[in-house]
Each structure stands twice: as structure tokens, then as C-alpha cells.
Amino acid sequence: VGTLEATTNAGGIFVLESSGLIIGGNAVQTTAGNAAIEITLTAGDLTLNDDITAHGSGTVTLAVLGADASLITGDGDDDIASTSGAISITADRLALVGGTIASSGALTLQPNAAAETIGIGDGATGDFNLTATEIGLLTNGFSSITIGKANSGAVDINAITFNDPVTIQGAAMTVTALEAGTNNITLTSTSTIDEDADNTTADITTSGTLSLTAQGAIGATGGSGPLDLTVGTLEATTNAGGIFLLESSGLIIGGNAVQ
């Protein structure tokens, strides 16, 4: 179909679309029964001209599976929301112009294709790219935010602040000025985790726990090579290359240790 509007008060909404789809009219919503919403596109873009809203703990799962296909929002009427259910958005490209994404449950944002590069923050490089303005559309209150997946490509993180616990997954990671207030930060890489430039400016800041897992070096030895931290508690693991960190204040080694 071209445009979809759908409402139910029980059972949920489950749609499989074979081409591009516009959400319009009276939106897509479940109004009772903690009913879920699942919309899957096998080709084409998913464009929101109105809201997608699940009742209560109902989950929202949006899967845009076409190569290089996008999930697109346009204005303030384009919210994606659940009261407390998990929200999962899978698409090779995101274009979040307006509207908010909100829940007290978990949020997952990930590309569909394997090896898709990820950029987070203004000026960051990646095909699956989220600017600071787009990150600002994620309403404070998620139990966790996960960006990327285990088989994603390189990740570039540049000057971005999260208001909820955040996990970022992918291959080789470069990070500059990633902040999360009192919330935990987890970086999981199938390669290395390093700063973008060898200096002593804080690359990662949180008074919570920073968890680093890599299959290559974390930071670099010598001079200004170490990853620069201002964090409360640290746990870090790699199976190759070593761990090289510079902390600007007191530090607790906790969780799964440093190894």
C-alpha cells in the first residue's frame, strides 16, 4: 500500500509491506491491552507523517530491510512511542527530522546490513549516521540505549551527550568527547577502541561505569596515545594489543575487572 493508518485496542498490529510505506492519516496506534506494533518493510523507505504509538508495555518494532533504505520522520507529529515497552528500529539509514522517540523501556537503533559504518555526533563519519540534533530527539527516560550491533562496521563517535545508559557496538571505534552524566557507558568492539586524536582532552566522561570490550588495543601506548577518561568506575577487557588509559581523577576498578 502507499499510506497506512491503523488502530486497535487489543491483540496488536503486525504488518509486512513489500515496498515503501508512509504512516499517515490517524497514525498507527494500539490503545489498550499493552498491544505491540511490528512493521516490516522488505524494500523501500518507511516515512512517518504521523505517530506510531504502542499502549502501555507494548513494544514497537520497525524493520526497514531494503539495502540502503531509510526510516524518515518529518515534523513534530512523527513520534515513535511506548509508555514502557522496548522500541527497536532497524534500517540502514535514519533521517530523524522531527518528532521524538520515547519510552521508559529499552531503545535499539541499528543498521540492517552487516559491516555498515556508524557515525554518532556532528561531523562523525558513518553511513548509519545520527547527528547531535537527532540524538536530541531521544526523550530522556529510556532504561538503556543501544546503537549498532555485533557485526556492524567501524564506529566514529564525536562530541555527543546521552541522558540514559548507552551501549555502542561495532568494529574499530574512534571516540571524542562522549559523555553520559551519571549514566553507564558500554563500548563493545570487534576491533580496537581509540581516540580520534592523540591529545589529553577527555574522550569519555561519566561518573557512572565505563565498560570497554575489544578484540584489539584499547588506546595506544606512549605520549598522548592513551584513551583519555574522566569516569567513576572502569571495567575493560581485550584479547590483543593491550589497554592504555589516562584518567584525570580518582578511579574505581570494578565490575568484570581490567584484563
Side-chain angles (χ1 to χ4, degrees), residues 224-240:
S224 300
L227 195 62
D228 301 299
L229 309 179
T230 303
V231 304
T233 299
L234 173 71
E235 51 187 77
T237 301
T238 185
N239 60 11

Side-chain angles (χ1 to χ4, degrees), residues 49-258:
N49 288 339
D50 217 312
D51 300 340
I52 297 175
T53 306
H55 175 264
S57 61
T59 58
V60 177
T61 304
L62 307 176
V64 182
L65 305 182
D68 298 331
S70 299
L71 183 142
I72 303 165
T73 65
D75 58 35
D77 292 328
D78 301 341
D79 297 338
I80 301 170
S82 171
T83 303
S84 59
I87 297 175
S88 175
I89 299 174
T90 300
D92 284 347
R93 306 287 184 269
L94 295 181
L96 307 179
V97 178
T100 60
I101 303 175
S103 177
S104 62
L107 172 65
T108 300
L109 303 172
Q110 61 185 10
N112 178 57
E116 198 79 21
T117 58
I118 296 173
I120 304 171
D122 293 346
T125 300
D127 291 328
F128 183 89
N129 195 279
L130 289 162
T131 67
T133 298
E134 290 174 313
I135 293 295
L137 298 176
L138 310 181
T139 301
N140 184 9
F142 287 102
S143 60
S144 65
I145 298 172
T146 300
I147 300 175
K149 55 184 181 178
N151 65 354
S152 291
V155 180
D156 184 19
I157 306 166
N158 186 45
I160 196 69
T161 298
F162 289 90
N163 296 313
D164 299 308
V166 61
T167 295
I168 301 172
Q169 303 179 102
M173 292 187 180
T174 55
V175 56
T176 301
L178 169 62
E179 300 185 19
T182 61
N183 298 291
N184 296 341
I185 297 174
T186 301
L187 302 182
T188 302
S189 171
T190 57
S191 181
T192 58
I193 302 173
D194 201 1
E195 59 186 355
D196 184 57
D198 288 341
N199 54 40
T200 56
T201 302
D203 299 305
I204 305 173
T205 301
T206 176
S207 60
T209 297
L210 172 65
S211 300
L212 303 172
T213 302
Q215 297 180 25
I218 299 175
T221 186
S224 300
L227 195 62
D228 301 299
L229 309 179
T230 303
V231 304
T233 299
L234 173 71
E235 51 187 77
T237 301
T238 185
N239 60 11
I243 299 172
F244 308 96
L245 306 173
L246 178 63
E247 168 62 44
S248 63
S249 61
L251 182 65
I252 298 170
I253 303 299
N256 294 315
V258 174

